[in-house]
Amino acid sequence: MNKSLAQFCSLGNNLGMTLTNLIQPSGPVDDFAGSQALGRRLAQHLANALELTRRAMHELPDATVLCKSGDRMTQLPYVMSGRLDVVVYVPSSSDGQIVPISFQAGEFAFLSYLFNHLPSGGDLIVREAAVIKWIEVAEMERVLLSDPNSLVLLVRFLGLRLREVQAREKALSTRGVKSRIGAGLLRYAAAMTPRPDGKVIIPLTHEQLASRCGVSRSKASTTLKKLEHLGMIHLGRKWIELLDADSLRRSIA
């Protein structure tokens, strides 16, 4: 992975979050496990106890709503492929909503439901056609309480995820549109599987990127066109090619 991209993924998969220098880890960056990697470790650790291989698979198309704000979840989805977005409605934001967290393959979504059973604070929506397996919350809790190692992994994961959200909140209040859009592009690119041809093609519409970065679609489109004029990106239909990650990183630093 390109070094200039790698620094944007060390805090996990919050695709709209800004630069990692908003929160400095206590140790060397290379030793600081991201929440996405930690979430996958936790899932792997629990796989046998939860008998994930025997669970039924559910194929879900784009835009499927798994949970609405205010609902109480009794099951957690384990993501086998695709992506799930948490959508939070915030009247004070540019377009009334933000996407603070996304869940990808190998992760459990909505782990914050464990041990509290509070209603959802946002919608859980399929943003890329997904295959999931449902796990009962009560079953997950029993397994975690019987395995101290799993419980420690959960605490570490939720701690890092909280830091991600705090970093995003700070970014939304202190950074401009260009910084948010640029950081969102770099973070998404860093989480992608490299293509054989070396190109970095980000499968996002202007509206999807805007919602992840807490800006309006019109402002996102204007900023993207400026970045294209500068030769940093190339805009296509429902995709954005990242041409010069180093220049983009320097321009928003």
Side-chain angles (χ1 to χ4, degrees):
M1 183 183 298
N2 185 295
K3 185 176 180 181
S4 65
L5 297 181
Q7 65 175 308
F8 286 87
C9 64
S10 65
L11 283 178
N13 73 334
N14 184 344
L15 301 179
M17 197 177 67
T18 190
L19 303 172
T20 56
N21 61 16
L22 287 176
I23 293 183
Q24 293 295 336
S26 56
V29 173
D30 290 342
D31 296 332
F32 185 62
S35 68
Q36 185 180 49
L38 199 55
R40 288 172 175 165
R41 281 181 56 196
L42 176 62
Q44 293 169 1
H45 199 74
L46 296 174
N48 291 333
L50 293 169
E51 298 184 323
L52 282 181
T53 57
R54 298 185 180 183
R55 306 278 175 164
M57 294 190 297
H58 302 272
E59 297 184 8
L60 305 172
D62 294 351
T64 300
V65 179
L66 299 181
C67 171
K68 293 289 290 182
S69 179
D71 290 349
R72 294 181 183 272
M73 293 279 282
T74 60
Q75 301 181 92
L76 297 175
Y78 171 76
V79 186
M80 298 189 66
S81 65
R83 189 179 83 246
L84 311 181
D85 280 356
V86 179
V87 178
V88 179
Y89 298 94
V90 183
S92 60
S93 67
S94 298
D95 62 355
Q97 68 178 41
I98 59 173
V99 180
I101 294 291
S102 292
F103 297 97
Q104 300 180 44
E107 295 184 277
F108 284 105
F110 269 25
L111 281 172
S112 57
Y113 273 103
L114 295 171
F115 306 110
N116 65 49
H117 309 290
L118 295 173
S120 171
D123 296 352
L124 183 62
I125 300 175
V126 177
R127 285 303 191 199
E128 293 177 3
V131 176
I132 68 169
K133 294 186 175 185
W134 288 105
I135 308 295
E136 293 288 334
V137 172
E139 184 178 0
M140 175 81 77
E141 290 174 348
R142 286 195 296 271
V143 170
L144 288 166
L145 289 173
S146 66
D147 183 358
N149 291 330
S150 295
L151 197 56
V152 169
L153 280 176
L154 173 65
V155 173
R156 289 180 58 201
F157 169 82
L158 292 179
L160 288 180
R161 186 53 55 87
L162 175 60
R163 290 173 66 166
E164 289 181 21
V165 174
Q166 290 172 332
R168 179 171 173 80
E169 289 175 347
K170 182 175 181 180
L172 290 175
S173 63
T174 63
R175 299 184 69 86
V177 173
K178 181 181 179 181
S179 292
R180 299 182 201 178
I181 294 296
L185 288 172
L186 287 164
R187 286 192 56 77
Y188 201 106
M192 292 174 57
T193 301
R195 290 166 50 109
D197 59 10
K199 293 184 177 180
V200 182
I201 307 294
I202 301 171
L204 286 178
T205 65
H206 294 193
E207 184 175 3
Q208 290 170 336
L209 179 62
S211 67
R212 281 158 180 73
C213 300
V215 302
S216 67
R217 185 192 183 285
S218 61
K219 290 183 178 179
S221 295
T222 299
T223 300
L224 288 170
K225 290 176 182 177
K226 290 180 179 178
L227 293 176
E228 182 176 44
H229 179 72
L230 294 171
M232 299 178 190
I233 64 173
H234 175 59
L235 300 176
R237 182 174 175 79
K238 296 185 178 181
W239 54 264
I240 303 165
E241 182 179 1
L242 181 57
L243 301 175
D244 191 341
D246 289 335
S247 292
L248 179 58
R249 173 175 53 82
R250 288 192 297 268
S251 74
I252 64 176

